[in-house]
Amino acid sequence: GKAYKVAVLPGDGIGPEVMAEALKVLDAIEKRYDVTFERTHANVGGAGIDLEGRALPETTVNICKSSDAILFGSVGGPKWETLPPDEQPERGALLPLRKIFGLYANLRPAIIFPSLTSASSLKEEVISGGFDILVIRELTGGIYFSQPKGIEGEGRDRIGVDTMRYSVPEIERIAHVAFQAAQKRGRKVCSIDKANVLSTSVLWREIVIGVAKQYPDVELSHMYVDNAAMQLVRWPKQFDVILCENMFGDILSDEAAMLTGSLGMLPSASLAEGTFGMYEPSGGSAPDIAGQGIANPIAQILSAGMMLRYSFGMVEAADAIDKAVAKVLDGGYRTRDIYQNKEGEKLVNTREIGDAIIAAL
Amino acid sequence: GKAYKVAVLPGDGIGPEVMAEALKVLDAIEKRYDVTFERTHANVGGAGIDLEGRALPETTVNICKSSDAILFGSVGGPKWETLPPDEQPERGALLPLRKIFGLYANLRPAIIFPSLTSASSLKEEVISGGFDILVIRELTGGIYFSQPKGIEGEGRDRIGVDTMRYSVPEIERIAHVAFQAAQKRGRKVCSIDKANVLSTSVLWREIVIGVAKQYPDVELSHMYVDNAAMQLVRWPKQFDVILCENMFGDILSDEAAMLTGSLGMLPSASLAEGTFGMYEPSGGSAPDIAGQGIANPIAQILSAGMMLRYSFGMVEAADAIDKAVAKVLDGGYRTRDIYQNKEGEKLVNTREIGDAIIAAL
Ligand SMILES: CC(C)[C@H](C(=O)O)[C@@H](O)C(=O)O
Ligand SMILES: CC(C)[C@H](C(=O)O)[C@@H](O)C(=O)O
């Protein structure tokens, strides 16, 4: 059978607890499919700082380099919030990982689970029947990484500078990801920009229109980012795939995720060219409930599923995980964050919902 | 009595219709208070392009220069959408107006009118009792106006570039506007940035913290822009004044406005140092319903109210306009956009609701 190397980076807060459940799911997949996941654990985030002096220790980078994919938990917590921004767990680990591994394509599904519609802050009539948006965010360019960036001058003469820069190939490759994803879904791409103000957006729009010609079966539309922030609230069902540059994608993917009301349930993938990728829950490290065994591991489990789908080409196994999660939710299993005290609901802890998902596999 | 010069720029779409009602309200104010508003009409936006060859004709700029304030309608429409971005009505008129007149402080209230809560796409429990957010957006700096900006190179080697730049005085003056506004309201400022990624945000946060020391009665908090996009959806009532740089303010003010469900009801002010300002509805030119006499003039009327408050210091008259609008809404008057076919509602047209507001003054 095949063997894949997985770098396991649980991180901080609830990271280790929810990661344990995702690893149990990988065990179950190994038993059902002819495959082995060779896992190597490594420190990241606050755990990296505490144990090895930095958010992304070199040993961790090396373990990732000799792996086929990274399964990432979550990082951050009050303990490390007073460090300089560069050294903090989130920024100090995530940005270098994206850059080192060329993780240019961030896929963030924002899905309403039909059994959880009432957790959304949107009205029933706006979300009835659910919605299913895939935000595709460019992740290694734009204002996050371009130079010059810094604070020039002294005292009251200081000037802060950031630069947003996009090249044609950078735009093309992320556009291809969006159109190919759309072909497997609702066949619609809405490209977000601010072409009435930004030069990067003028180029972005032109290149996206060019790439679209290769995908005549996909419908392309364009929307200004400010309008998109409104339309997501007004009528999220109008969207299928949303394509964004880095900063707009950061903002809109979080807005879309929150609209589902299921933030703790949403996985994400950050893909490099080829098959390498990093997979992590969209929610945070939730330090307030860490160590109590009550966190919701579903986002971490679905992230492992995305790893099977995108890095290992195991579409069937990935589908099986998605279905098992849906089945367990339909069966009424609820961790505390999604428990609403309704008829048919069973309040369970992290381990119990993990076991239920494995049983449903 | 006093006399103020007002440049009246109705613009396109519903602009002229709703402006007519706002001018009627100014007539009514002249009769009740010892004041004269000397109005000069000028072309802007598509009307500027059609009649004088550009979105912001020089005659219009000169009329604005010899005025004490600008009352702006709205610009844009399908007719001019194929022009180059620079020449289009919105961008070609708004950005130069902001720059020429130094309109650095954009005040955008996002208020739920108690009688209109059901128009919001948020759940009743999330908005019950309404909310009242004031977004204060820096309007003449950041990535909108900084250099270099453009597309360099040829063909596939092209690179799009935009620059986000902020100086200490630019941050200080907008921070003062936010703290002073908060003192007259809920005494809370939430400053938005992306200090974990942007150098401009690191400087922004430091300077805002410094300015806050002069306002010990105002509580300052900080929030990353991605989190703010989520928190607005999750629990908008947590906010009082939201302070943003230009681009983040563009996105979040639109999101907040849409959350109210009353987009057609929201005014805005763009202020220069001193008393000069430009006042305009937050919604667009709504070309689809233009010319039918059914548009909602309330945002335009409230914009005129903001002009009295901020440029002319006529607080009492401004309060009277706000109260008259609230009274008319409580009385059940509804233009088509806010009509919900409920008991006690009276469907009226643009002119009728304008008349009702004047009667209520
Ligand atoms: C932690 C931060 C640097 C990061 C980002 O802005 O990309 C985070 O918000 C995300 O979306 O993964
Ligand atoms: C038309 C556009 C240039 C403008 C902006 O981005 O500032 C608009 O969206 C606004 O918010 O007034």
Side-chain angles (χ1 to χ4, degrees):
Chain A
K2 283 216 161 184
Y4 295 106
K5 293 200 176 80
V6 179
V8 178
L9 279 52
D12 309 320
I14 60 169
E17 296 157 57
V18 297
M19 184 65 85
E21 301 310 309
L23 296 179
K24 275 165 46 183
V25 170
L26 289 184
D27 293 340
I29 296 288
E30 283 178 329
K31 286 194 197 119
R32 274 161 195 72
Y33 299 83
D34 189 23
V35 64
T36 319
F37 303 111
E38 294 168 13
R39 306 154 210 188
T40 313
H41 285 247
N43 298 312
V44 76
I49 296 170
D50 289 352
L51 298 168
E52 302 182 54
R54 48 197 298 189
L56 185 63
E58 225 181 281
T59 29
T60 300
V61 173
N62 289 331
I63 287 167
C64 294
K65 278 190 179 157
S66 54
S67 299
D68 301 307
I70 304 170
L71 191 57
F72 192 97
S74 52
V75 294
K79 185 173 172 188
W80 308 281
E81 261 165 20
T82 48
L83 291 172
D86 269 17
E87 296 171 25
Q88 286 181 22
E90 295 87 348
R91 189 207 147 120
L94 289 175
L95 297 194
L97 277 170
R98 292 173 191 169
K99 204 66 193 176
I100 294 169
F101 294 96
L103 307 171
Y104 72 97
N106 186 210
L107 277 52
R108 287 193 62 183
I111 295 176
I112 294 233
F113 291 84
S115 45
L116 297 177
T117 45
S118 56
S120 169
S121 51
L122 292 178
K123 270 184 195 154
E124 182 59 30
E125 60 202 83
V126 179
I127 51 170
S128 70
F131 62 80
D132 177 350
I133 299 173
L134 177 61
V135 179
I136 304 225
R137 168 186 174 196
E138 202 288 329
L139 202 59
T140 51
I143 204 163
Y144 274 66
F145 291 102
S146 309
Q147 292 295 331
K149 178 191 264 312
I151 297 176
E152 302 161 357
E154 295 291 328
R156 279 187 49 82
D157 291 332
R158 278 176 301 166
I159 292 188
V161 183
D162 295 282
T163 304
M164 186 186 275
R165 196 184 292 271
Y166 271 106
S167 70
V168 173
E170 274 180 309
I171 302 168
E172 280 177 349
R173 65 177 180 174
I174 191 72
H176 282 291
V177 173
F179 286 106
Q180 284 163 20
Q183 283 183 321
K184 298 190 194 133
R185 304 170 33 105
R187 286 190 225 280
K188 290 199 299 180
V189 169
C190 181
S191 172
I192 307 302
D193 64 41
K194 184 80 189 176
N196 50 351
V197 173
L198 302 183
S199 294
T200 43
S201 286
V202 172
L203 186 62
W204 178 277
R205 194 178 280 215
E206 182 200 312
I207 301 304
V208 170
I209 289 171
V211 171
K213 300 218 168 83
Q214 300 175 44
Y215 303 90
D217 54 333
V218 178
E219 183 195 314
L220 170 65
S221 62
H222 305 273
M223 199 179 272
Y224 293 141
V225 59
D226 47 335
N227 190 25
M230 292 203 282
Q231 295 302 324
L232 274 171
V233 168
R234 198 186 64 80
W235 197 243
K237 285 182 220 174
Q238 73 188 279
F239 296 106
D240 176 27
V241 171
I242 295 181
L243 168 62
C244 303
E245 66 85 38
N246 206 343
M247 171 63 75
F248 296 159
D250 180 46
I251 300 170
L252 295 184
S253 67
D254 268 357
E255 181 183 345
M258 182 56 91
L259 286 171
T260 67
S262 315
L263 194 59
M265 316 277 291
L266 299 176
S268 80
S270 302
L271 308 177
E273 285 178 5
T275 61
F276 192 87
M278 175 163 122
Y279 302 87
E280 63 176 309
S282 284
S285 61
D288 49 317
I289 59 159
Q292 301 176 38
I294 57 170
N296 185 342
I298 288 181
Q300 191 74 56
I301 290 169
L302 293 174
S303 297
M306 287 188 100
M307 176 174 76
L308 302 191
R309 186 182 306 277
Y310 291 101
S311 282
F312 307 154
M314 300 177 63
V315 177
E316 200 190 308
D319 285 346
I321 292 175
D322 290 353
K323 277 197 201 105
V325 167
K327 200 165 153 195
V328 162
L329 289 173
D330 288 344
Y333 291 84
R334 300 282 184 270
T335 44
R336 223 186 44 175
D337 55 312
I338 52 174
Y339 182 69
Q340 295 172 311
N341 214 344
K342 284 200 210 145
E343 222 197 289
E345 289 189 346
K346 275 187 279 291
L347 182 63
V348 291
N349 65 27
T350 309
R351 209 167 26 74
E352 288 162 338
I353 202 163
D355 291 340
I357 290 167
I358 289 161
L361 258 177
Chain B
K2 284 216 160 184
Y4 296 105
K5 293 200 176 80
V6 180
V8 178
L9 279 53
D12 310 319
I14 59 169
E17 297 157 56
V18 298
M19 184 64 84
E21 301 310 309
L23 296 180
K24 274 165 46 183
V25 170
L26 290 184
D27 292 340
I29 296 289
E30 283 178 328
K31 285 196 199 116
R32 274 162 194 71
Y33 299 83
D34 188 22
V35 64
T36 319
F37 304 110
E38 293 167 13
R39 305 154 212 190
T40 314
H41 285 247
N43 298 311
V44 76
I49 295 170
D50 289 352
L51 298 169
E52 303 182 55
R54 49 196 300 187
L56 185 62
E58 224 180 281
T59 29
T60 301
V61 173
N62 289 332
I63 287 168
C64 294
K65 278 191 180 156
S66 56
S67 300
D68 300 308
I70 304 169
L71 191 58
F72 192 97
S74 51
V75 293
K79 185 173 174 191
W80 309 282
E81 261 165 19
T82 48
L83 291 172
D86 269 18
E87 294 171 28
Q88 285 181 24
E90 296 87 345
R91 189 207 145 118
L94 288 175
L95 297 194
L97 276 171
R98 291 173 191 169
K99 205 63 194 176
I100 295 169
F101 294 97
L103 306 172
Y104 73 97
N106 186 211
L107 277 52
R108 287 193 60 184
I111 295 176
I112 295 230
F113 291 84
S115 44
L116 297 176
T117 45
S118 56
S120 170
S121 52
L122 292 178
K123 271 185 193 152
E124 183 58 30
E125 60 204 81
V126 178
I127 51 170
S128 70
F131 63 78
D132 178 350
I133 298 173
L134 177 61
V135 179
I136 303 224
R137 167 186 175 197
E138 201 289 327
L139 202 60
T140 51
I143 202 162
Y144 275 65
F145 292 101
S146 309
Q147 292 296 332
K149 177 191 266 312
I151 297 176
E152 302 162 358
E154 294 292 328
R156 280 189 46 80
D157 290 331
R158 279 175 301 164
I159 292 188
V161 184
D162 295 283
T163 304
M164 186 186 275
R165 196 185 292 271
Y166 271 106
S167 70
V168 173
E170 274 180 310
I171 302 168
E172 280 176 348
R173 66 177 180 176
I174 192 72
H176 281 292
V177 173
F179 286 105
Q180 283 163 20
Q183 283 183 322
K184 296 191 195 135
R185 304 170 33 104
R187 284 190 229 280
K188 289 200 298 180
V189 169
C190 181
S191 171
I192 307 302
D193 64 43
K194 186 79 189 176
N196 51 351
V197 172
L198 302 183
S199 294
T200 41
S201 286
V202 171
L203 186 63
W204 178 277
R205 194 177 279 215
E206 182 200 313
I207 301 304
V208 170
I209 289 171
V211 171
K213 299 219 169 83
Q214 300 174 44
Y215 303 90
D217 53 332
V218 177
E219 183 194 314
L220 170 65
S221 61
H222 305 275
M223 200 179 273
Y224 292 142
V225 60
D226 47 336
N227 190 26
M230 294 203 279
Q231 295 302 325
L232 274 171
V233 168
R234 197 185 64 79
W235 197 243
K237 285 183 221 172
Q238 72 188 278
F239 296 106
D240 176 27
V241 171
I242 294 182
L243 168 62
C244 302
E245 65 84 39
N246 205 342
M247 171 64 74
F248 296 158
D250 181 45
I251 300 169
L252 295 184
S253 67
D254 269 357
E255 181 184 345
M258 182 55 91
L259 285 171
T260 67
S262 314
L263 195 59
M265 316 276 290
L266 299 176
S268 79
S270 302
L271 309 178
E273 286 178 4
T275 60
F276 192 86
M278 175 164 122
Y279 302 87
E280 62 177 310
S282 284
S285 61
D288 51 317
I289 59 160
Q292 301 176 38
I294 58 170
N296 185 342
I298 289 181
Q300 191 75 56
I301 290 169
L302 292 174
S303 297
M306 286 187 99
M307 175 173 78
L308 302 192
R309 187 183 303 279
Y310 291 101
S311 282
F312 306 154
M314 298 177 65
V315 177
E316 200 190 307
D319 286 345
I321 293 175
D322 291 353
K323 276 198 202 105
V325 167
K327 200 165 154 195
V328 163
L329 289 172
D330 289 342
Y333 291 85
R334 301 281 184 270
T335 44
R336 222 187 44 173
D337 55 312
I338 53 173
Y339 182 69
Q340 296 173 308
N341 213 346
K342 284 199 211 145
E343 221 198 289
E345 288 190 348
K346 274 187 280 291
L347 182 62
V348 292
N349 64 26
T350 309
R351 209 168 26 74
E352 287 162 340
I353 202 162
D355 291 340
I357 290 166
I358 289 162
L361 258 177

